[in-house]
Amino acid sequence: MAGMKTATGDYIDSSWELQVFVGEEEPQAQSVTLRVTGESHIGGVLLKIVEQINRKQDWSDYAIWWEQKKQWLLQTHWTLDKYGILADARLFFGPQHRPVVLRLPNRRALRLRASFSQPLFQAVAAICRLLSIRHPEELSLLRTLEKKEKKKKEKEPEEEVYDLTQVVLAGGVAPALFRGMPAHFSDSAQTEACYHMLSRPQPPPDPLLLQRLPRPSSLLDKTKLHSRWLDSSRCLMQQDVKAGDTLWLRFKYYSFFDLDPKADPVRLTQLYEQARWDLLLEEIDCTEEEMMVFAALQYHINKLSQSGEVGEPAGTDPGLDDLDAALNNLEVKLEGSAPTDMLDSLTTIPELKDNLRIFRPRKLTLKGYRQHWVVFKETTLSYYKSQEEAPGDPVQQLNLKGCEVVPDVNVSGQKFCIKLLVPSPEGMSEVYLRCQDEQQYARWMAGCRLASKGRTMADSSYASEVQAILAFLSLQRAGGGGAGNQPQGPDASAEGLNPYGLVSPRFQRKFKAKQLTPRILEAHQNVAQLSLSEAQLRFLQAWQSLPDFGISYFTVRFKGSKKDEILGIANNRLIRIDLAVGDVVKTWRFSNMRQWNVNWDIRQVAIEFDEHINVAFSCMSASCRIVHEYIGGYIFLSTRERARGEELDEDLFLQLTGGHEAF
Amino acid sequence: MALCICITSFHSCYLCNAFFKGGITESKGNCVRKLNSSCQIPFHRVHLSLDFHQPRVRGHSPACQPSVGAPLAPRCKAARREPHVCALRGRAGLTPLPPRGRGPEPGWSRVHGVAFPAGAPTPTRAPPSARQVPSKCPPRPCRSVKMGESNEDIDQMFSHLLGEMDLLTKSLGVDTLPPPDPKPPRAEFNFSVGFKDLNESLNALEDQDLDALMADLVADISEAEQRTIQAQRESSQDQLHSASLEKSNFSGAASLGYGADMAVTSTSQYGDELPPPPADPMLDLPLPPPPPEPLSQEEQEAAAKADKIKLALEKLKEAKVKKLVVKVHMNDNSTKSLMVDERQLARDILDNLFEKTHCDCNIDWCLYEIYPELQIERFFEDHENVVEVLSDWTRDTENKVVFLEKEEKYAVFKNPQNFYLDNKGKKESKETNGKMNAKNKESLLEESFCGTSIIVPELEGALYLKEDGKKSWKKRYFLLRASGIYYVPKGKTKTSRDLACFIQFENVNIYYGTQCKMRYKAPTDYCFVLKHPQIQKESQYIKYLCCDDARTLNQWVTGIRIAKYGKTLYDNYQRAMARAGLASRWTNVGTGNAATPAPPSTGLKTGTAQANGQIPQAAHSVSTVLNEADRQVDTPKDKKPALSNHDPGTPRAQHLPKSSLPPPPPVRRSSDTGSSPVMPAKGAAGGLPPLLDDSLPPPPPPPPLEDDELPPPPPDFDEAPPDFVPPPPPWDAGASLPPPPPPPPALAPEATKPSPVVAKRPPVPPKRQENPAPASGGGGGEQDFMSDLMKALQKKRGNVA
């Protein structure tokens, strides 16, 4: 035992004094001094420290951190000699789990305890278990953006930081569900709120905020994000993360395995949020048409989550659904070839009759809208010169099945038009119907929409369709009415649809709100029937269908080339992109890859593909470790199999993504 | 007592929507003319929109009149108690069938508890031509006919009628036809040629009548029963009401219960004695017409109303399943006519054609739609509903459907690298592309089609666009995205933000353009065309695009298909592969199938059972078999990778040459196809052993569709307890019919069928004759239909309320 003394107090063994600071790394940390020898085991040292501190406390999470070597002394059976610790070592006796503030994909802040001693890969896995996100291998942590202090001190509204630091997870077991959420969330109202934050989509952001947030303006900007990824083979402590620091939690690898709305409410929601912010902040480009679909889905998702309809659509009796389906079925069948006069008596199909103004756009026509007597029955629209002539032959008869219905509405201008593009063997005929008021418009519009899908107004969805249209109109009055080109504050978005919160700033600039609203609503009618999770999935699918989806950009310089180029890494390929033009120069697929090597000294990655194609490049925008980890990570992800479930081959991952020792 | 069974058959050609609408008021002559005119449509599509035939029993003998009141009630009861006895008499020589296992429906069980399928004259021994006879010879005594299984009866009769129609249209005036009835007043019920009289009677009706019927239909059940009983003592008018009321209780099988009631009432009204059982229709074919008897006003009303009710029900039923006869052109310039109903997908039709043509069933076979007028063509995707597409054709169209091989159809799955990895035409990539190995292809496909979202091939390049309505072609830079085709506007870059949408795929189909160079002065002949499926004539809404070469054209067309159909395309491909694999197994099967007798339950029921024209379920059941095979095949594959070569359903197998290992020749069970006509298809499908597991006895492949009219399981088959199947009748195991060999045996009769107008499939007489229970399992369909109706009614009521 270290510290044997003679009677005079001289030490007779080879023991020496070791100073250990207690607590986290602070300059003025209290310290204890121990008498140790080189043969002392770490475990013994820990025991002595605790004895010396002489405080009743749970020390189980505490371990020794060796500052100079940036190393945790976690092997309790190792001796000090084995670690090479001498008297001058600065050791800190502190907790391995420390609070950090995580910035989630939905941009909310969450304080929780993360492991500072395990490799990041494991630490993230633990965090994800806490947040009940499956497949943690797809996520990782980034450092925050350095705050530019020079900016004028804007009063940032004090934002709510959710706190999960008190929550302790029973290790190993998958958390059981309790009251619809993992049991550890159901402890208090606070944690419950936190779970809702995690599992429910957030309302659309304030458009002003959107405009203020940094957006990449070029490919070069897009590479910046990726320089901030933390190293997954090292622990947080080693990467100079301090307790209380803010980190971003993001899906790093765009390969989402086994996404299951039932099992993954949090994962799905966070993924959706990340995709949404990607789009809103123009991290990924899309076309106007695509943006409208995204906006409509966001609108729909927001509406559902606000109304509390989480999960599947509110418990309609499946039996009723069946019945409806059967009815729809029958009705659809009936209307096709049914003789009207016979069947009407059996299943009366409601019809609309009214005086509407009709306009048929033609080349070289001077005629405007003209009043007609219009009868809308089943899926057929007939119009007559006047009501008196109705029994006779109509001026025109249009079967709306398969037609395009486009609203042309301006509530403030009291303009309620329905543009119909009706297909016929000869082509499409365009007809505009102009209604007098909202009520009339809603009825006719709903009828037209159903008819275009081949259903009649007898369809059970007719009434709800009418209601939905009326709701839209009121939204439009509230939202897009007189707003002009100025984005509105958050208060406006509270009550209605503020389209600016749903589209990226580029489109905010391009369109006026009142132009945007109808387009979003038009796109919305195609998704209005989706449940929350379906809509989220649809959003993700549309996101994944974008050509630029899932590409992480790095500035690299290829061997033998003098200029910087962009390397895009996607889940299945590497893409060489011309920096100036943005064109794809060359694509290499991982499936053709033989091996890759990293030269850590000259920061160069060399990759060999089939048929002796060799590529080498050095990374300019980020450490080559990040590039290496990306490639290895994607290859690791491609080895996942459904059969293995969620268990992770961490060794393989670290081998594929690890540092020097990997190859 | 003289009673007659009137078979009303009511046909109109496909384009006769108008006919139906106007038909009620139009003259009978019109009706007939329309039917005939359909023959002249170059593409023989006949919409047999209504094929209703219902035995109706009417009294014609004046002698019946006096006894209206007294014997009515007891007789009625008697009729109800032994429906099949009555029916037996009416049917002349049929053996009664044991009661079906299906539980009686509440509310009508008393009347129709024994669901007897013989209500319709289907199972007669008469050959098709003779089958018309009863309708032409009104005075056939038939006391009461229960319409227990009206649905399948209708279907059967439908096919009979198709056969008859065939003969009739072919050979009017052949001696099988009785001379036209000389008695004008009776013409209304005497359908010597079939179609006219119904119309007349309909004309006599007023609209309110049907409204009244409607009200009655929704009347309350107990009341209905009460009133039924009362009604039998009252005037025929009231009886009609009660009949219709009662009918509302006879959900399902009893949809034609009305007819039954009519039978009952008329019997008791006019019949003095029980009529003797009718002689075999064959024998007494030249029956003398009944004595002329002007019908009373009341009677006429009743009859007219009856007709109208029936017609309404017919229409409902007809509206439910639309059928077309489609003439498919073969690549050898021959044609085949197929009965296609609206539920059938292109895949089902291909399967039918495979059976008919003995082709190799490979995945390249497709239905090909050609528009000569627009000079465009495309293949049907396997999941497309054929009737829906054909409905868009105009009446006088020259469009046709061809059955041919197109390797473009699934080229993307055979060589995905040509579409996904093509580096915009660079030479080097082309060279390497050829060599992609199966494993890489597989992973590429998996990556592209099996993820959360499918990947649309990245396609971009300059194409020529024919400007709307103009003759000029303009070069533009187009890009394909999942959301549509975009182009780069002048002076803009091709970044996403600048793109302008050219077209989205929701409402358009993609076609190949042919000879555009000649017709539209296109820069090349490699054109593709996007148009709304309903557009049939030249129009500015049709978009013409022109590529530089065939390769680009195929890439674009395929890319657009992937963007439009998504994963469905891949599913189609896998089904096609499964089908092709099955077919290759079949060829082996064909030789060695004499051995092991199989339990009858393993076979899918085949055409022997019913020829009722309901193809779709049959086809579906095939697909379920395929799916089943797929699934079952998948499972062993996981455990026994070695077997995967045989596995048509797994991706790996798809890339392997089918012939690499001959599939184990499954032993055909001799009785498979022929012996279990009453077997529910579901049970059959479920009982199909896994196809590829060696440890199991070699699987019997699903029996071939020897006939298009493979009997359908009822739509709501699930409701039927699986064990309700009556034991297979002893006769059918092959005594009269040898078990059909795998390739369709029924081809011969079809081939001889000349008239395209009508379904080619007259039921094979011997089969039917032997089969007392042809309709087994079919009742569910009717039930389904009626419950649909009831639901609709209830809903209507709810709405009104």
Side-chain angles (χ1 to χ4, degrees):
Chain A
M1 209 51 211
M4 275 168 55
K5 283 191 274 190
T6 60
T8 60
D10 296 329
Y11 288 97
I12 54 166
D13 56 3
S14 59
S15 67
W16 38 277
E17 284 193 338
L18 178 68
Q19 192 185 28
V20 177
F21 297 92
V22 177
E24 296 167 18
E25 293 168 292
E26 308 152 26
Q28 66 278 24
Q30 151 199 14
S31 69
V32 291
T33 307
L34 313 169
R35 190 92 197 159
V36 293
T37 66
E39 280 83 45
S40 299
H41 291 238
I42 298 294
V45 173
L46 289 175
L47 210 61
K48 274 192 182 171
I49 296 171
V50 172
E51 273 169 14
Q52 286 228 359
I53 295 172
N54 197 16
R55 201 164 60 211
K56 286 260 182 287
Q57 185 181 340
D58 177 13
W59 298 104
S60 61
D61 191 40
Y62 277 61
I64 298 171
W65 165 254
W66 185 4
E67 194 186 45
Q68 290 101 327
K69 281 276 175 84
K70 287 188 176 294
Q71 189 180 9
W72 286 95
L73 310 180
L74 293 176
Q75 306 287 350
T76 48
H77 60 281
W78 280 23
T79 61
L80 294 177
D81 280 351
K82 190 164 182 185
Y83 270 118
I85 290 173
L86 300 174
D88 62 346
R90 269 175 71 80
L91 300 180
F92 288 86
F93 179 64
Q96 296 177 59
H97 288 81
R98 301 181 187 182
V100 288
V101 176
L102 281 190
R103 186 64 65 171
L104 298 171
N106 63 4
R107 313 270 153 162
R108 291 308 192 95
L110 172 66
R111 179 177 288 111
L112 48 68
R113 289 187 176 278
S115 165
F116 273 60
S117 62
Q118 289 170 309
L120 187 68
F121 185 76
Q122 289 174 17
V124 171
I127 291 171
C128 288
R129 205 166 64 234
L130 181 70
L131 304 182
S132 48
I133 297 176
R134 297 193 309 151
H135 297 290
E137 65 274 15
E138 292 161 5
L139 296 97
S140 191
L141 298 177
L142 303 105
R143 294 176 203 281
T144 47
L145 222 49
E146 288 86 27
K147 283 231 173 68
K148 294 188 184 99
E149 294 299 331
K150 62 175 190 234
K151 266 196 170 177
K152 59 180 193 285
K153 268 289 173 196
E154 245 181 89
K155 260 298 169 204
E156 293 277 336
E158 209 42 46
E159 78 167 326
E160 187 180 1
V161 177
Y162 293 89
D163 196 342
L164 282 181
T165 48
Q166 306 308 316
V167 174
V168 182
L169 257 194
V173 255
L177 280 184
F178 181 69
R179 295 205 325 234
M181 62 185 84
H184 57 274
F185 281 113
S186 55
D187 295 341
S188 67
Q190 204 187 1
T191 54
E192 227 168 274
C194 180
Y195 182 73
H196 288 153
M197 178 272 294
L198 285 168
S199 61
R200 289 187 189 168
Q202 299 294 302
D206 177 5
L208 291 172
L209 174 76
L210 270 187
Q211 293 193 334
R212 220 172 45 234
L213 285 173
R215 297 185 305 274
S217 60
S218 67
L219 272 180
L220 217 49
D221 287 350
K222 289 183 185 172
T223 64
K224 286 181 184 152
L225 172 84
H226 297 289
S227 61
R228 287 154 43 202
W229 289 109
L230 292 173
D231 185 346
S232 53
S233 59
R234 296 193 295 157
C235 67
L236 287 177
M237 202 76 171
Q238 286 166 324
Q239 304 185 57
D240 297 324
V241 176
K242 305 268 183 305
D245 276 2
T246 301
L247 296 171
W248 287 14
L249 178 71
R250 289 288 184 278
F251 290 88
K252 180 178 183 183
Y253 301 104
Y254 293 88
S255 163
F256 313 115
F257 189 69
D258 188 22
L259 197 56
D260 175 7
K262 291 247 167 22
D264 294 324
V266 178
R267 182 169 171 230
L268 181 63
T269 303
Q270 296 303 322
L271 201 48
Y272 158 73
E273 292 281 356
Q274 183 164 338
R276 164 164 78 160
W277 282 96
D278 262 11
L279 285 157
L280 291 182
L281 294 183
E282 298 171 20
E283 290 282 349
I284 185 168
D285 270 340
C286 66
T287 63
E288 205 175 294
E289 286 73 19
E290 287 156 354
M291 192 76 233
M292 295 310 144
V293 173
F294 286 123
L297 282 166
Q298 288 180 67
Y299 168 70
H300 186 62
I301 288 167
N302 182 48
K303 202 176 68 174
L304 289 182
S305 75
Q306 300 277 307
S307 64
E309 257 183 79
V310 183
E312 296 313 300
T316 46
D317 182 6
L320 279 179
D321 286 349
D322 288 349
L323 195 145
D324 275 350
L327 282 175
N328 287 348
N329 202 11
L330 182 66
E331 280 161 5
V332 169
K333 301 276 171 53
L334 288 179
E335 72 208 12
S337 52
T340 47
D341 50 348
M342 293 302 272
L343 271 176
D344 267 2
S345 54
L346 280 178
T347 57
T348 319
I349 292 173
E351 55 181 31
L352 292 173
K353 294 178 184 173
D354 221 329
N355 275 308
L356 296 180
R357 283 180 294 163
I358 289 186
F359 173 55
R360 296 179 50 81
R362 287 203 181 99
K363 276 178 194 164
L364 302 172
T365 187
L366 294 172
K367 295 176 185 167
Y369 282 92
R370 285 201 168 178
Q371 188 94 340
H372 284 283
W373 175 251
V374 191
V375 177
F376 188 11
K377 195 169 184 178
E378 298 190 15
T379 60
T380 305
L381 192 79
S382 327
Y383 60 91
Y384 306 85
K385 280 202 173 125
S386 66
Q387 186 170 2
E388 291 69 42
E389 290 185 22
D393 286 337
V395 178
Q396 199 188 11
Q397 199 163 31
L398 298 162
N399 189 346
L400 300 191
K401 211 167 173 178
C403 78
E404 273 178 56
V405 185
V406 181
D408 179 13
V409 174
N410 186 337
V411 179
S412 53
Q414 286 296 296
K415 177 187 173 196
F416 303 99
C417 285
I418 304 171
K419 291 186 181 178
L420 298 173
L421 197 59
V422 188
S424 66
E426 288 76 31
M428 313 288 265
S429 38
E430 268 182 276
V431 177
Y432 297 178
L433 304 179
R434 182 156 190 166
C435 303
Q436 284 144 10
D437 54 34
E438 293 179 23
Q439 291 294 332
Q440 191 186 42
Y441 168 80
R443 286 195 309 270
W444 285 79
M445 186 68 184
C448 291
R449 280 187 185 165
L450 286 178
S452 76
K453 292 173 198 151
R455 289 182 281 171
T456 71
M457 285 170 279
D459 196 275
S460 54
S461 60
Y462 177 68
S464 62
E465 187 80 42
V466 173
Q467 285 312 310
I469 293 167
L470 285 173
F472 289 158
L473 291 176
S474 62
L475 278 183
Q476 222 176 337
R477 210 174 332 158
N485 210 7
Q486 287 308 308
Q488 295 156 328
D491 47 327
S493 66
E495 56 179 80
L497 167 71
N498 181 355
Y500 280 157
L502 304 174
V503 298
S504 64
R506 184 154 52 86
F507 294 103
Q508 294 179 11
R509 288 192 299 272
K510 194 168 173 183
F511 295 105
K512 293 179 181 165
K514 65 181 174 197
Q515 294 173 313
L516 221 42
T517 313
R519 295 196 61 179
I520 294 175
L521 294 183
E522 187 192 332
H524 178 257
Q525 60 171 297
N526 291 327
V527 298
Q529 306 303 321
L530 298 179
S531 75
L532 181 58
S533 56
E534 281 168 350
Q536 286 181 324
L537 277 176
R538 179 75 68 87
F539 191 95
L540 291 180
Q541 277 167 8
W543 177 51
Q544 286 173 289
S545 301
L546 295 176
D548 296 338
F549 161 78
I551 304 178
S552 311
Y553 297 99
F554 299 91
T555 316
V556 297
R557 187 168 291 177
F558 279 90
K559 197 173 169 184
S561 167
K562 287 264 163 60
K563 57 173 187 185
D564 285 351
E565 282 173 272
I566 300 288
L567 178 77
I569 303 180
N571 63 359
N572 55 5
R573 64 198 192 276
L574 296 173
I575 309 160
R576 183 173 179 174
I577 301 169
D578 187 296
L579 179 57
V581 189
D583 277 354
V584 173
V585 177
K586 180 95 180 104
T587 301
W588 302 279
R589 297 175 51 81
F590 288 150
S591 57
N592 296 332
M593 196 158 80
R594 289 248 166 106
Q595 59 167 324
W596 79 101
N597 298 293
V598 183
N599 184 329
W600 299 102
D601 297 329
I602 57 172
R603 302 184 7 137
Q604 194 178 62
V605 181
I607 308 177
E608 185 192 338
F609 293 96
D610 283 348
E611 295 162 11
H612 310 293
I613 299 169
N614 286 293
V615 176
F617 52 83
S618 52
C619 310
M620 316 299 288
S621 67
S623 139
C624 65
R625 174 192 55 76
I626 293 175
V627 173
H628 159 62
E629 205 174 292
Y630 247 115
I631 296 173
Y634 273 128
I635 288 170
F636 169 75
L637 295 188
S638 69
T639 65
R640 292 183 294 183
E641 284 167 32
R642 203 164 289 264
R644 286 226 311 277
E646 292 177 49
E647 93 187 45
L648 280 177
D649 190 347
E650 190 195 338
D651 288 343
L652 179 63
F653 180 83
L654 292 179
Q655 200 185 350
L656 285 169
T657 62
H660 308 268
E661 68 282 346
F663 295 96
Chain B
M1 140 141 192
L3 298 163
C4 75
I5 300 169
C6 295
I7 298 179
T8 46
S9 35
F10 187 61
H11 295 240
S12 80
C13 68
Y14 155 67
L15 295 155
C16 277
N17 270 3
F19 164 65
F20 282 122
K21 282 166 187 154
I24 311 306
T25 53
E26 270 171 23
S27 76
K28 55 192 175 183
N30 192 10
C31 175
V32 173
R33 196 191 65 223
K34 284 199 176 191
L35 174 76
N36 291 340
S37 75
S38 61
C39 305
Q40 285 137 27
I41 295 181
F43 183 75
H44 298 266
R45 296 175 301 139
V46 177
H47 180 188
L48 294 159
S49 34
L50 183 56
D51 40 87
F52 187 79
H53 30 274
Q54 170 181 355
R56 213 168 23 141
V57 183
R58 288 199 55 87
H60 287 287
S61 157
C64 303
Q65 296 286 11
S67 59
V68 168
L72 175 65
R75 196 145 296 161
C76 260
K77 281 187 179 155
R80 288 180 171 190
R81 248 182 268 124
E82 29 182 67
H84 51 265
V85 173
C86 302
L88 174 59
R89 287 170 186 158
R91 273 314 127 257
L94 281 182
T95 31
L97 188 73
R100 309 278 299 291
R102 195 175 332 107
E105 295 287 313
W108 55 276
S109 58
R110 189 171 61 82
V111 181
H112 289 275
V114 180
F116 188 62
T122 358
T124 55
R125 198 172 285 156
S129 60
R131 286 226 51 270
Q132 193 79 4
V133 169
S135 67
K136 293 158 196 153
C137 308
R140 178 160 321 289
C142 169
R143 198 177 40 128
S144 120
V145 179
K146 286 291 176 190
M147 296 302 295
E149 294 291 330
S150 47
N151 188 30
E152 60 262 43
D153 287 348
I154 286 166
D155 281 326
Q156 283 182 330
M157 292 189 68
F158 170 65
S159 33
H160 282 255
L161 280 171
L162 287 179
E164 285 157 17
M165 280 301 306
D166 200 349
L167 289 167
L168 283 175
T169 49
K170 214 171 43 187
S171 55
L172 269 181
V174 166
D175 55 355
T176 52
L177 288 176
D181 195 316
K183 319 292 193 306
R186 271 196 46 251
E188 189 174 340
F189 304 105
N190 183 5
F191 297 102
S192 56
V193 194
F195 321 105
K196 316 177 177 183
D197 311 310
L198 181 60
N199 270 342
E200 268 190 0
S201 63
L202 284 171
N203 290 342
L205 271 184
E206 288 171 2
D207 285 344
Q208 298 95 311
D209 292 347
L210 209 58
D211 294 343
L213 168 63
M214 177 67 193
D216 288 350
L217 275 172
V218 297
D220 172 74
I221 289 178
S222 59
E223 194 186 330
E225 284 197 344
Q226 283 230 318
R227 284 182 63 188
T228 309
I229 294 163
Q230 283 177 359
Q232 286 162 354
R233 300 194 171 87
E234 290 164 12
S235 75
S236 63
Q237 178 78 19
D238 286 343
Q239 286 166 12
L240 271 172
H241 279 260
S242 65
S244 54
L245 277 172
E246 189 164 312
K247 180 171 41 185
S248 68
N249 303 334
F250 312 157
S251 67
S255 79
L256 298 180
Y258 165 73
D261 257 317
M262 262 318 273
V264 170
T265 52
S266 50
T267 306
S268 34
Q269 261 177 323
Y270 308 118
D272 44 354
E273 285 292 14
L274 282 181
D280 189 307
M282 281 280 265
L283 302 179
D284 56 6
L285 189 139
L287 272 178
E293 152 92 13
L295 295 171
S296 72
Q297 175 70 17
E298 217 179 29
E299 263 181 293
Q300 277 184 344
E301 261 180 35
K305 202 160 186 176
D307 281 344
K308 192 166 179 184
I309 291 163
K310 274 183 276 177
L311 185 66
L313 288 166
E314 288 162 22
K315 302 261 177 185
L316 273 175
K317 173 170 166 34
E318 169 271 324
K320 193 169 166 71
V321 182
K322 200 152 109 185
K323 295 180 179 106
L324 294 184
V325 173
V326 178
K327 189 160 107 183
V328 179
H329 297 252
M330 302 290 145
N331 45 4
D332 60 354
N333 290 332
S334 64
T335 62
K336 286 206 186 304
S337 293
L338 290 181
M339 169 85 82
V340 178
D341 97 18
E342 63 174 340
R343 286 164 294 188
Q344 280 190 299
L345 309 179
R347 177 78 252 160
D348 305 323
I349 293 168
L350 283 180
D351 288 345
N352 277 349
L353 283 165
F354 287 168
E355 301 301 338
K356 284 168 170 282
T357 57
H358 306 275
C359 72
D360 60 358
C361 305
N362 76 43
I363 58 168
D364 289 338
W365 286 102
C366 58
L367 283 183
Y368 205 67
E369 183 184 16
I370 297 181
Y371 292 66
E373 190 180 343
L374 293 170
Q375 293 184 351
I376 57 174
E377 54 194 47
R378 65 160 199 143
F379 29 73
F380 283 87
E381 302 299 342
D382 284 354
H383 65 277
E384 272 181 293
N385 185 316
V386 174
V387 169
E388 218 165 78
V389 176
L390 297 187
S391 310
D392 291 334
W393 291 7
T394 51
R395 172 180 201 151
D396 50 351
T397 185
E398 293 169 22
N399 299 356
K400 54 183 179 177
V401 173
V402 185
F403 177 60
L404 42 59
E405 285 178 279
K406 278 276 173 188
E407 64 173 15
E408 290 93 340
K409 189 180 183 191
Y410 289 126
V412 64
F413 302 109
K414 291 184 204 158
N415 286 302
Q417 73 279 9
N418 291 341
F419 297 89
Y420 280 95
L421 304 184
D422 190 56
N423 260 351
K424 299 179 192 74
K426 282 187 187 155
K427 293 279 182 297
E428 25 150 5
S429 62
K430 271 186 200 167
E431 283 158 20
T432 55
N433 280 348
K435 298 181 212 158
M436 189 171 211
N437 64 33
K439 185 166 163 275
N440 282 350
K441 284 182 189 175
E442 190 186 322
S443 68
L444 183 59
L445 282 180
E446 195 157 316
E447 183 182 298
S448 308
F449 286 96
C450 299
T452 354
S453 77
I454 58 125
I455 299 174
V456 174
E458 283 179 40
L459 266 182
E460 55 179 74
L463 302 176
Y464 299 92
L465 166 69
K466 184 172 174 297
E467 295 197 70
D468 291 353
K470 291 187 199 158
K471 282 184 182 169
S472 60
W473 293 77
K474 200 171 187 179
K475 196 168 189 174
R476 277 192 185 281
Y477 198 84
F478 285 93
L479 296 96
L480 177 67
R481 295 166 76 100
S483 57
I485 300 179
Y486 293 78
Y487 65 91
V488 181
K490 237 183 191 161
K492 295 286 180 69
T493 66
K494 59 174 189 174
T495 51
S496 304
R497 63 188 71 186
D498 286 338
L499 295 179
C501 187
F502 170 64
I503 202 168
Q504 295 186 299
F505 303 124
E506 228 164 72
N507 285 321
V508 296
N509 278 347
I510 171 115
Y511 303 79
Y512 289 99
T514 54
Q515 296 177 341
C516 289
K517 205 168 171 179
M518 185 128 61
R519 176 158 179 180
Y520 299 110
K521 308 217 173 354
T524 74
D525 255 341
Y526 308 108
C527 287
F528 64 93
V529 178
L530 293 155
K531 76 163 182 73
H532 193 289
Q534 269 168 273
I535 299 180
Q536 302 287 316
K537 305 265 165 58
E538 236 173 286
S539 146
Q540 55 164 332
Y541 295 94
I542 302 180
K543 313 281 186 194
Y544 294 86
L545 287 161
C546 184
C547 314
D548 282 332
D549 51 27
R551 180 186 173 86
T552 325
L553 173 68
N554 274 332
Q555 284 178 340
W556 274 95
V557 173
T558 306
I560 292 167
R561 287 168 62 216
I562 293 171
K564 179 170 167 66
Y565 301 111
K567 186 155 191 301
T568 317
L569 218 52
Y570 191 48
D571 297 339
N572 287 345
Y573 167 70
Q574 287 183 317
R575 271 184 72 181
M577 286 301 285
R579 183 65 181 76
L582 216 58
S584 69
R585 251 198 306 284
W586 264 106
T587 53
N588 292 347
V589 165
T591 55
N593 65 357
T596 35
S601 64
T602 51
L604 190 64
K605 64 175 167 178
T606 60
T608 44
Q610 322 157 293
N612 58 3
Q614 279 194 354
I615 316 149
Q617 289 105 334
H620 287 167
S621 67
V622 170
S623 61
T624 51
V625 169
L626 289 179
N627 292 340
E628 195 81 17
D630 237 352
R631 218 176 317 129
Q632 286 167 337
V633 143
D634 274 349
T635 340
K637 189 224 170 186
D638 292 339
K639 295 164 195 157
K640 309 182 182 182
L643 288 177
S644 64
N645 277 351
H646 308 281
D647 183 352
T650 57
R652 169 170 291 270
Q654 286 150 14
H655 305 295
L656 290 172
K658 276 285 160 246
S659 57
S660 65
L661 265 183
V667 182
R668 261 302 293 307
R669 290 95 198 270
S670 61
S671 59
D672 258 351
T673 51
S675 67
S676 55
V678 287
M679 193 49 213
K682 185 189 178 192
L688 196 69
L691 285 175
L692 291 179
D693 199 331
D694 280 346
S695 65
L696 290 174
L705 303 174
E706 50 178 285
D707 187 324
D708 277 352
E709 309 194 334
L710 193 127
D716 58 344
F717 196 81
D718 290 357
E719 289 169 21
D723 53 352
F724 87 104
V725 184
W731 49 267
D732 62 354
S736 60
L737 260 192
L747 274 178
E750 280 162 17
T752 60
K753 190 132 309 198
S755 164
V757 175
V758 193
K760 58 215 114 209
R761 226 154 277 86
V764 191
K767 292 182 191 175
R768 174 175 301 127
Q769 153 192 24
E770 297 275 9
N771 189 353
S776 71
E782 187 62 34
Q783 200 170 325
D784 177 47
F785 159 66
M786 274 311 282
S787 57
D788 275 355
L789 174 60
M790 286 307 290
K791 284 172 187 170
L793 294 177
Q794 281 162 5
K795 186 190 153 210
K796 281 287 155 324
R797 255 198 311 186
N799 279 356
V800 170

